[in-house]
Amino acid sequence: MSVRANTVNPLLRWPLATVSLGAAIAVLPIFLIGVPTDGHDTWFLIQNLHSFSSQFLGGELYPKWRFDGNNGWGAPTFYVYPPLAYYAGTLFVWIGKGWFGIDRAAAIAIGCSFILSAQTCFIWLRRHVSTTVAVGAALLYVVAPYHLAADLLIRDAYSELWTFPVYPLLLIAIEDREASPWRFVAQASVPLSLLFMTNMPSATISILVFSAFALARRGLTPRFVAMWTCTGLLAVALAAFYVLPALALKDLVNTDRLMNDPSWSNYRTWYLDSGEFIDRLPGLFRVIVAEIAVIAGLVGWTWLRHRGRLLSEASRWPVAMSIALVVGLYLATSLSRPLLLMMPALTHVQFPWRVFAPLTVFAVGLIASLAAESSRAHLPKAVLTVLVVAWIYPAFRIIRHTTFGLGPAQVADILRSPDDAMWVPRRWSDPLNETGQIVAVPPNEPRVVEGEATATMRREGTAIIVHTIGSSNAVIVVPQLFFPSWKATVDGRDVPVRACGGKGELAVAVPSGEMSVVLSHRRLPVEIVGLLLSIAGAVAAVGLWRYPAVTRPELRGTVNPIERVN
């Protein structure tokens, strides 16, 4: 009697390579052609990546002030907007220098975010299910309705796309039950801080969903509540170099447009049951409805399958994910209005349907859980097939109607177009266009508003150099918008900078004679405090990580509620 050799599918021999290849194929048009031309935020991505990368590669480690923002008047974009995703994009701008343009660098960065998403999702799921199921579910994570169809093809929401690789890392940290409380706080705070530094609105609403999962997964005990609270505090400390200045300085720009503008970004008008959402973004609404239908099916089947033993260890993982999904759906509807009154910070989320970004990872986890159970004949495979087809259909339906790739002329037009209205400092009172954007073009040289003098200027790195020759004391006005971070020196002596006129330009008093005025940005006190907090948070995280782990032997082997199928 011959025994057939136990062979391993070549695709499963190197599963990380398999999911990486599958993710790359799923977004192949992005790699080969470029970004979606009609994405809601494509112009925002190109403008900001161009400014950030050019200033970083010019020697500025953290480019907060965009010199070419607001049509050349300057913009405090990265004082308020998180920078992490743009560092990733800058890497590909640097790699492709001389080979391809800013649009292709952005496209490659987006494609790599999908590959990393598949890899981290696989690593998380492999802790619970077989390699085969984990590979399949990780690829479903890539083509999820909100991930591929909504965030990429419709919105081109660059920084939000980079949150998808982080969510599985946070889940891995939450589920590590062998870590001591100190180590848990350290390892969970790192991915949570990465969310803050990648996309603050998504991080804000994700905390509520992940809190529901963590408490359901680990138990609503005083000890774990304290651990989770300390995790959030340490995560804020790690990201304080960005978070603290962003919160302190947000009122200096037109954040009202981001949060309360009734024409677009009002949180209250974008609930799923809002008629305005259906009327204004029907394509996006259909994608989200498709995801809701799948989520409802997953949650319903999970609760039906585990009824009578919802609190058992074997059921805790899928049940905790289903609870997180229910909480997320609640946040996306007008039923959550009372919560908005208790937590005004939710208005900074801008769109309540952003919650579908973190919900995607839980939905994929439930699909993997049901797939693992179906291999033991507990779930009809036809039902699972229907759920999977409904899951991937929206993305493939939309991708057929999406145009990819920006030509050089389109990129040039984007770089010349007005900036987002929210980056207009509040001091600006001159006329704006109908959407609140600056359309006026700044002059090439400074002007003299008092005294007799001539002035010329040039930009050197992060500074603006103004050369003046005057027969009397004078006041020169430089065509950059005022912000508290500006400082000025005249022949090496510090002088005050003030805002001038309806535009709020930089005004500096200079004495008579030939003078050299240097305008640059200084660190504000709130930035220094934020940086010190981040350093202290990093030291604390390392200390907590290295603190002797006190493991609980009785919990060993209970990390995986579903028996692995090898």
Side-chain angles (χ1 to χ4, degrees):
M1 179 177 178
S2 61
V3 179
R4 187 174 59 181
N6 185 23
T7 60
V8 178
N9 188 322
L11 293 178
L12 301 180
R13 193 182 299 275
W14 298 285
L16 278 177
T18 299
V19 297
S20 301
L21 179 60
I25 292 174
V27 292
L28 195 59
I30 296 292
F31 280 114
L32 297 181
I33 307 175
V35 296
T37 57
D38 298 323
H40 296 173
D41 290 347
T42 296
W43 63 274
F44 182 84
L45 163 61
I46 297 300
Q47 284 184 340
N48 285 296
L49 183 57
H50 176 267
S51 301
F52 191 94
S53 61
S54 61
Q55 291 178 216
F56 179 84
L57 297 176
E60 191 175 356
L61 294 181
Y62 188 176
K64 295 186 174 183
W65 181 267
R66 291 176 50 227
F67 282 92
D68 56 0
N70 281 321
N71 247 20
W73 295 98
T77 304
F78 290 99
Y79 280 96
V80 179
Y81 201 80
L84 194 59
Y86 286 88
Y87 281 110
T90 298
L91 172 65
F92 295 103
V93 173
W94 174 71
I95 291 174
K97 200 169 184 179
W99 293 84
F100 46 78
I102 192 76
D103 56 321
R104 185 54 61 87
I108 295 174
I110 290 172
C112 288
S113 77
F114 276 81
I115 293 174
L116 285 175
S117 298
Q119 292 173 342
T120 58
C121 187
F122 169 80
I123 293 170
W124 167 57
L125 290 174
R126 187 61 188 90
R127 297 162 60 90
H128 300 279
V129 296
S130 67
T131 300
T132 303
V133 174
V135 167
L139 294 178
L140 287 179
Y141 188 49
V142 170
V143 297
Y146 189 83
H147 192 182
L148 181 58
D151 251 9
L152 175 59
L153 302 179
I154 295 177
R155 298 182 61 218
D156 198 11
Y158 176 68
S159 64
E160 191 170 296
L161 286 169
W162 275 97
T163 64
F164 283 87
V166 182
Y167 294 135
L169 299 179
L170 182 54
L171 289 173
I172 291 172
I174 290 173
E175 294 179 340
D176 186 0
R177 302 186 68 172
E178 292 195 359
S180 70
W182 308 111
R183 178 164 289 189
F184 173 88
V185 171
Q187 66 188 21
S189 64
V190 173
L192 193 55
S193 68
L194 293 178
L195 284 179
F196 284 122
M197 293 184 285
T198 303
N199 189 279
M200 179 74 88
S202 293
T204 302
I205 203 165
S206 295
I207 288 175
L208 299 177
V209 179
F210 278 94
S211 296
F213 171 80
L215 295 174
R217 183 77 175 92
R218 299 291 298 266
L220 188 59
T221 63
R223 181 185 187 187
F224 185 73
V225 170
M227 290 164 57
W228 186 243
T229 302
C230 292
T231 297
L233 294 175
L234 183 55
V236 172
L238 288 170
F241 74 93
Y242 153 69
V243 172
L244 202 61
L247 295 178
L249 302 174
K250 64 181 177 60
D251 290 334
L252 297 179
V253 296
N254 287 323
T255 51
D256 283 347
R257 172 171 167 76
L258 180 67
M259 296 178 291
N260 301 312
D261 181 4
S263 66
W264 181 247
S265 299
N266 191 315
Y267 184 90
R268 297 169 181 83
T269 64
W270 289 107
Y271 289 116
L272 292 182
D273 49 346
S274 166
E276 187 167 349
F277 184 16
I278 301 172
D279 294 337
R280 298 183 62 182
L281 292 175
L284 180 59
F285 182 78
R286 286 192 295 268
V287 169
I288 291 178
V289 166
E291 184 150 346
I292 291 174
V294 176
I295 287 174
L298 291 170
V299 171
W301 191 273
T302 298
W303 285 65
L304 183 65
R305 172 72 185 87
H306 296 273
R307 66 187 185 280
R309 51 187 181 89
L310 295 176
L311 299 181
S312 67
E313 184 60 31
S315 300
R316 186 167 290 182
W317 183 55
V319 170
M321 289 189 292
S322 67
I323 290 174
L325 289 169
V326 171
V327 170
L329 292 178
Y330 164 76
L331 292 172
T333 66
S334 59
L335 294 174
S336 63
R337 287 183 186 274
L339 185 63
L340 186 63
L341 297 177
M342 293 185 289
M343 298 181 62
L346 282 176
T347 57
H348 293 268
V349 174
Q350 193 177 11
F351 308 115
W353 36 262
R354 282 185 191 270
V355 74
F356 284 91
L359 290 192
T360 298
V361 72
F362 292 113
V364 166
L366 270 188
I367 290 175
S369 169
L370 295 175
E373 292 180 348
S374 71
S375 66
R376 297 196 295 269
H378 291 312
L379 177 73
K381 293 186 177 180
V383 176
L384 185 61
T385 302
V386 169
L387 290 174
V388 170
V389 170
W391 182 255
I392 65 178
Y393 174 72
F396 287 99
R397 181 178 181 274
I398 291 177
I399 201 170
R400 294 186 296 110
H401 304 287
T402 303
T403 304
F404 297 93
L406 297 171
Q410 290 175 293
V411 173
D413 287 343
I414 289 173
L415 295 179
R416 287 194 299 265
S417 63
D419 219 327
D420 193 292
M422 75 164 291
W423 306 127
V424 179
R426 291 185 184 276
R427 289 179 178 274
W428 183 286
S429 60
D430 275 17
L432 302 167
N433 67 7
E434 65 277 4
T435 58
Q437 297 168 302
I438 295 176
V439 293
V441 178
N444 294 324
E445 299 293 348
R447 67 183 192 276
V448 179
V449 294
E450 293 181 19
E452 296 293 332
T454 59
T456 58
M457 73 175 187
R458 69 183 188 277
R459 182 180 152 199
E460 291 186 1
T462 61
I464 295 175
I465 314 297
V466 181
H467 183 71
T468 65
I469 301 176
S471 57
S472 64
N473 294 343
V475 175
I476 60 169
V477 175
V478 178
Q480 282 280 301
L481 300 183
F482 178 82
F483 203 69
S485 57
W486 280 110
K487 67 175 183 179
T489 60
V490 177
D491 280 4
R493 300 187 306 274
D494 291 338
V495 296
V497 181
R498 61 183 175 87
C500 175
K503 295 182 175 64
E505 299 169 88
L506 303 179
V508 179
V510 296
S512 59
E514 185 174 351
M515 298 291 165
S516 178
V517 182
V518 179
L519 289 157
S520 59
H521 288 276
R522 61 185 174 90
R523 288 191 185 276
L524 296 171
V526 69
E527 293 181 83
I528 297 173
V529 172
L531 182 60
L532 292 176
L533 279 176
S534 291
I535 294 173
V539 172
V542 172
L544 292 173
W545 175 261
R546 293 180 61 86
Y547 192 80
V550 181
T551 59
R552 299 173 61 185
E554 68 273 14
L555 292 180
R556 290 184 183 225
T558 63
V559 177
N560 301 340
I562 296 179
E563 182 181 354
R564 292 186 180 181
V565 181
N566 294 317

